[in-house]
Amino acid sequence: MRRTTKFAGVGVALAALTLTACAPTANPTSTVSASEGATETVAVNVGMITSITGPLAAYGAAYQQGFEAGLDYATDGTGEIDGVELTIEWVDDQGNPDTAVTQAKDLIGQGFQILGGSAASGVALAVAEQAAQNDVLFLSGPAAADAITGINEQTFRSGRQTLQDVATAATFLEDVEGANIVVFAQDNAFGQGNVASVQSVLGGEGANVTPILVAEDATEFTPFAQQISAASPDLVFVAWAGATSGAMWEALAQQQVLANTTVVTGLGDRSTHQAYGPGSGDIQFLNHYFAGATDNEAAQAMDAYLEENGHEADLFTVDGFAGAQMLVHAITEGKGDTAAMIDALEGWTFESVKGELTIRAEDHALIQPMFQVRLVDDGGTWVPELIEVADAEAVAPPVAG
């Protein structure tokens, strides 16, 4: 195999790769005929469309680093797939769906059979549409929108989705049926989407769900904290992002919401671990991944590769790692043929950093374990600590469609 990795749109320092010159080609090639005893060499071109710059650049970087680690692991350190001439080209969508669509069309026009990436959900949904229209394989990354699952037969995801977050929140309750749950969120698409997911999953299991939505430009949160307390909830599900996070958490701590109620939120990437204020130890966290959450063979290999290349695992590194494993399996079995690669991935179970993962054949959801986590004070620094692993099937999303 010969592999070329290209970076288009911006110069980025990534993990060092062993490169051999390779000219992209849209069609399978054979340098020696089968009658002479040689196997056919197939050209497979992969376009990785993700955020290299823009608001989600940190997510894109973690995904890329994980992908390179996963590619190294899935190919036993060789970076090679027998009988395949592989081109991987990284392009920067800047988190913009319109930009991503233009890039996807360009790559497909050049003969690229596989697309990957997508830190932003809007980008993933737009690229998925292009994948279906042009019958190419799409391996979506960290983007969490539930609508990606089951959107079409060409699209798979290598990360978790919002419904798995919500199902993990339910594991903090002894009994969901009859529980009073408050969803505390900003009144925007993100917050409203979380309300809908909680109502669908936990409301569907018999919980009483009450949304408390706050205007995005709000700066005073004491009245909302008092409103939460007055509701006497069994669980508060917080979905929040942005610059007001610190003030919001401070208000919940001051009004004793954190101390008196089970408050659950998602633990974000490493940069957010110090953002929850003095009440950090009273918050219950659902989590997709944090460095050290697992210690299996794949996790050890990922950590070693990252350390060697000057990186450290973060929230979405595992999505890149799993995505590379999926890519290698699809190409090994399907050699760039979309239908064959889809068949290879549907129903596939494999061991990855988070443990055993299964690609659900019906809608291509990635069934995976999730984590209950707390933050503990380690010499003045809040660090994550694993409480419990949530079983993959217990937090699996409903079948889409």
Side-chain angles (χ1 to χ4, degrees):
M1 169 206 151
R2 294 184 293 165
R3 174 162 64 95
T4 298
T5 301
K6 301 179 180 179
F7 303 91
V10 64
V12 181
L14 294 175
L17 300 175
T18 302
L19 305 181
T20 305
C22 166
T25 175
N27 300 309
T29 61
S30 178
T31 55
V32 182
S33 68
S35 63
E36 295 174 316
T39 58
E40 184 182 34
T41 298
V42 178
V44 178
N45 304 322
V46 182
M48 303 297 292
I49 304 172
T50 195
S51 295
I52 297 174
T53 62
L56 299 181
Y59 294 168
Y63 172 80
Q64 290 179 27
Q65 293 157 14
F67 181 90
E68 295 301 339
L71 187 63
D72 183 78
Y73 179 75
T75 59
D76 296 322
T78 67
E80 298 183 355
I81 304 171
D82 288 343
V84 175
E85 181 180 288
L86 181 63
T87 296
I88 300 175
E89 182 169 333
W90 291 87
V91 294
D92 181 15
D93 61 37
Q94 303 174 344
N96 187 314
D98 292 336
T99 300
V101 167
T102 299
Q103 293 166 338
K105 289 179 177 178
D106 180 58
L107 291 166
I108 293 168
Q110 294 179 53
F112 280 64
Q113 305 101 313
I114 303 173
L115 301 177
S118 62
S121 291
V123 166
L125 291 167
V127 174
E129 182 178 348
Q130 293 301 312
Q133 290 177 1
N134 295 278
D135 195 28
V136 299
L137 187 69
F138 176 42
L139 304 177
S140 181
D146 294 311
I148 298 166
T149 297
I151 189 170
N152 53 57
E153 66 176 358
Q154 290 83 5
T155 298
F156 293 77
R157 65 189 319 151
S158 63
R160 100 296 184 215
Q161 60 189 86
T162 300
L163 285 169
Q164 286 163 306
D165 290 341
V166 173
T168 305
T171 65
F172 290 91
L173 288 168
E174 290 186 8
D175 191 357
V176 175
E177 186 174 2
N180 294 316
I181 298 175
V182 166
V183 182
F184 186 49
Q186 292 156 304
D187 194 4
N188 55 22
F190 172 69
Q192 293 161 10
N194 275 272
V195 170
S197 294
V198 174
Q199 288 175 331
S200 173
V201 176
L202 304 188
E205 295 182 20
N208 304 306
V209 180
T210 302
I212 297 179
L213 297 176
V214 181
E216 283 189 277
D217 59 357
T219 57
E220 174 55 52
F221 302 103
T222 298
F224 299 103
Q226 293 171 340
Q227 189 177 347
I228 293 172
S229 294
S232 300
D234 298 301
L235 182 143
V236 180
F237 184 91
V238 179
W240 209 276
T244 59
S245 294
M248 181 274 294
W249 287 114
E250 183 177 356
L252 295 191
Q254 289 176 346
Q255 296 301 312
Q256 300 299 304
V257 174
L258 302 182
N260 297 333
T261 311
T262 300
V263 177
V264 178
T265 195
L267 183 66
D269 65 321
R270 185 185 306 280
S271 68
T272 69
H273 293 178
Q274 313 309 312
Y276 300 95
S280 297
D282 292 322
I283 304 170
Q284 309 296 315
F285 293 94
L286 61 91
N287 178 246
H288 172 43
Y289 184 77
F290 68 91
T294 59
D295 189 33
N296 57 27
E297 178 185 303
Q300 292 172 9
M302 181 185 74
D303 289 341
Y305 185 94
L306 293 173
E307 182 178 1
E308 182 180 348
N309 289 279
H311 305 302
E312 191 171 1
D314 211 337
L315 180 65
F316 295 125
T317 315
V318 293
D319 296 355
F321 194 98
Q325 290 178 287
M326 292 166 63
L327 176 74
V328 170
H329 181 71
I331 293 175
T332 299
E333 299 297 322
K335 297 293 192 292
D337 178 78
T338 301
M341 292 190 295
I342 291 171
D343 286 343
L345 290 174
E346 287 184 339
W348 185 47
T349 295
F350 60 105
E351 290 292 328
S352 194
V353 176
K354 292 183 70 175
E356 184 177 275
L357 311 182
T358 297
I359 301 169
R360 192 163 59 194
E362 294 90 337
D363 60 1
H364 303 173
L366 188 62
I367 309 305
Q368 59 194 286
M370 297 285 284
F371 306 106
Q372 290 186 3
V373 178
R374 59 173 162 250
L375 289 175
V376 296
D377 189 345
D378 182 14
T381 300
W382 293 103
V383 297
E385 179 179 272
L386 181 65
I387 301 173
E388 188 174 333
V389 178
D391 179 75
E393 288 296 337
V395 297
V399 176

